[in-house]
Every structure is written in C-alpha cells, then in structure tokens.
Amino acid sequence: MENWYVPITIVPAIGLLILSTSNLMIALSSELNDLISKKELRKLIISRKLKQLKRLNRAMVLLYLSVASFVLSGLMAGISQTSGSNSNSSIYLAILGIIFAFGALINLIAYSFKAVKIRQDQFQNKC
C-alpha cells in the first residue's frame, strides 16, 4: 500500500457514525428507563426496545473494530513503507475494517426500519 494514510482518513467518518449511534443509544436507554419506571409496563414494547438497544450495541462494537482495523492498517503500511518491506497485511486489515463497517451499517439500517415499526405499534396502542 503506497499511501499509508488512506485507511486513517476514513476514521473521522466512522467517528461520526459512532457519535450518532451513541446518541441513539442514549435516547433509547432514556426511553426504556421511562417505560420501565411507569406503572403500566408494556412488556412487549420494552422487550422489542431492548432488542433494538442490543442491535445498536452490536453496531457500536463493529464500528470500534472498524476504526481499530483502519488505524492498524495505516500504521502497518507506514512501517512497511519506511522499512522497505512488501507486506500485504495492511491491505487485509483495511478490508477487515471495511467488512466491520459494512456489518455495522447493516445493523443500523435494520435498527432504523424496526424503530419505525415499534413507533407505529406504540401509536396504534395509545389510540
């Protein structure tokens, strides 16, 4: 990999995904806390929202792994470039980072679709 800095330039974009996902987790946790503290417990909605929280947590872990892979990829490419060795391990780490990021995006897409469905069910139960 000639340009060792390329994988590291992807890290800020993933950082924004981590920030927005953590904001979603905080909002969902607060909402779950409110639902649990109410006198009338809606167990089905609470269990569905707990699954959503688990999905967000899985996405966060994948995003963290993606950042780690990209940073290690850039580091290894920089070291191999300065030492003059020809190692493909940095390319494999970059591909691994892409796979982790893609898995996180799939989890976030599934979260989005299911969150809308849960909201619709909550609204229909209130009316």
Side-chain angles (χ1 to χ4, degrees):
M1 183 178 285
E2 292 178 18
N3 299 325
W4 60 269
Y5 53 85
V6 171
I8 296 173
T9 59
I10 299 170
V11 171
I14 296 174
L16 286 174
L17 284 172
I18 290 171
L19 180 65
S20 66
T21 305
S22 65
N23 286 336
L24 288 172
M25 283 181 70
I26 291 168
L28 185 58
S29 293
S30 297
E31 187 178 353
L32 273 166
N33 191 27
D34 289 342
L35 283 174
I36 291 171
S37 67
K38 288 183 179 178
K39 292 181 181 176
E40 60 177 68
L41 290 177
R42 296 183 189 167
K43 292 184 179 181
L44 180 63
I45 296 291
I46 290 172
S47 69
R48 289 171 69 189
K49 287 190 177 279
L50 284 171
K51 287 179 186 176
Q52 290 292 83
L53 190 61
K54 186 176 180 180
R55 183 172 283 115
L56 283 176
N57 189 34
R58 191 178 315 123
M60 288 286 284
V61 168
L62 288 170
L63 289 171
Y64 288 143
L65 288 171
S66 177
V67 167
S69 295
F70 284 127
V71 169
L72 283 174
S73 173
L75 183 66
M76 290 180 74
I79 290 171
S80 67
Q81 185 178 6
T82 57
S83 68
S85 66
N86 191 7
S87 176
N88 289 333
S89 59
S90 62
I91 293 172
Y92 297 133
L93 278 170
I95 291 170
L96 189 63
I98 292 168
I99 292 169
F100 285 144
F102 186 69
L105 289 174
I106 289 173
N107 275 303
L108 290 172
I109 290 168
Y111 165 81
S112 297
F113 281 120
K114 292 190 184 274
V116 170
K117 180 69 175 136
I118 291 171
R119 284 285 184 209
Q120 287 174 339
D121 292 346
Q122 275 182 300
F123 178 71
Q124 288 173 355
N125 288 339
K126 282 186 177 181
C127 294

